[in-house]
Amino acid sequence: PQPPMGLAMWLHRVAIAVVALTLLGSRGPVVHGWSDFVYFRVLEPLDLRYVFRGLIAKDFGAEFETTLSPVALVPTVPAKACAPLQHRVSGVALILRGDCSFAEKAQHAQQAGAQAALIADTDPDNDNNWVDMILDGGDFVVTIPTVFLLGLDGYHLQDALRRHHRKTAVISIPINESSIGPHEFAPWAVAW
């Protein structure tokens, strides 16, 4: 039998719990289920022909009602889409995170004609830190699917476009997750 926990050990565990709640908030760590994600495949450029995963916006935007394939993935100008876009988007907008709300970015993409928006984190080392995109004020009305993309994935997409001197990539979104083999994900992707 285990001896009863001493007072010192109990106080130590309570202190750890208080620190954890302070750092994580009262909700604790955010856990995402499979249904929170959407998957897409890059069709071009060919050297980036992998499956990627993104986190669907929590409380704005829409669900994908149909698969967009093949569809252009168009980097926005301005890159962070905190002002109206300087061009039309025929396809899916690729937007960088920062400087304004996720909903504002998505609304600007929507106003420019985008069918959906992928918002990439700007930290190229972010390979597993998902950010919940929420409607955090403002009178934004977003009716297109909006998806958060990890910074490392966003970096590789933008880098491939630069290397190939391309203005757009070609993707298929969403794809059925049950049809994806483990070898189809990018080699830098963190195992889930």
Side-chain angles (χ1 to χ4, degrees), residues 147-167:
V147 177
F148 179 80
L149 190 60
L150 293 173
L152 185 58
D153 292 338
Y155 166 79
H156 282 287
L157 284 167
Q158 293 173 49
D159 181 59
L161 293 176
R162 277 191 295 274
R163 283 187 291 106
H164 293 287
H165 308 287
R166 294 180 63 121
K167 292 184 179 187

Side-chain angles (χ1 to χ4, degrees), residues 166-181:
R166 294 180 63 121
K167 292 184 179 187
T168 66
V170 179
I171 66 172
S172 178
I173 188 171
I175 60 173
N176 185 334
E177 68 190 70
S178 66
S179 67
I180 304 167

Side-chain angles (χ1 to χ4, degrees), residues 62-166:
E63 298 288 325
F64 284 93
E65 293 180 8
T66 184
T67 298
L68 306 174
S69 182
V71 66
L73 179 62
V74 182
T76 60
V77 178
K80 293 184 178 179
C82 291
L85 302 187
Q86 298 172 9
H87 56 90
R88 297 286 302 157
V89 175
S90 180
V92 177
L94 177 59
I95 304 168
L96 296 181
R97 179 183 181 195
D99 298 342
C100 64
S101 75
F102 293 116
E104 182 176 356
K105 294 170 183 297
Q107 182 171 299
H108 287 144
Q110 174 180 294
Q111 290 168 340
Q115 295 170 276
L118 296 181
I119 301 176
D121 193 8
T122 52
D123 178 2
D125 295 325
N126 178 7
D127 64 355
N128 204 24
N129 184 25
W130 297 102
V131 174
D132 286 322
M133 296 190 300
I134 59 171
L135 189 60
D136 53 356
D139 294 327
F140 304 108
V141 178
V142 180
T143 59
I144 60 173
T146 306
V147 177
F148 179 80
L149 190 60
L150 293 173
L152 185 58
D153 292 338
Y155 166 79
H156 282 287
L157 284 167
Q158 293 173 49
D159 181 59
L161 293 176
R162 277 191 295 274
R163 283 187 291 106
H164 293 287
H165 308 287
R166 294 180 63 121

Side-chain angles (χ1 to χ4, degrees), residues 5 7-25 28-29:
M5 185 184 333
L7 179 60
M9 179 60 80
W10 182 82
L11 289 172
H12 178 74
R13 289 184 179 175
V14 168
I16 289 173
V18 168
V19 169
L21 286 173
T22 302
L23 294 175
L24 297 173

Side-chain angles (χ1 to χ4, degrees), residues 42-76:
V42 173
L43 305 174
E44 295 177 22
L46 294 177
D47 65 339
L48 204 61
R49 196 173 173 113
Y50 299 115
V51 171
F52 294 83
R53 165 170 95 145
L55 183 63
I56 300 167
K58 283 279 186 204
D59 60 1
F60 67 91
E63 298 288 325
F64 284 93
E65 293 180 8
T66 184
T67 298
L68 306 174
S69 182
V71 66
L73 179 62
V74 182
T76 60

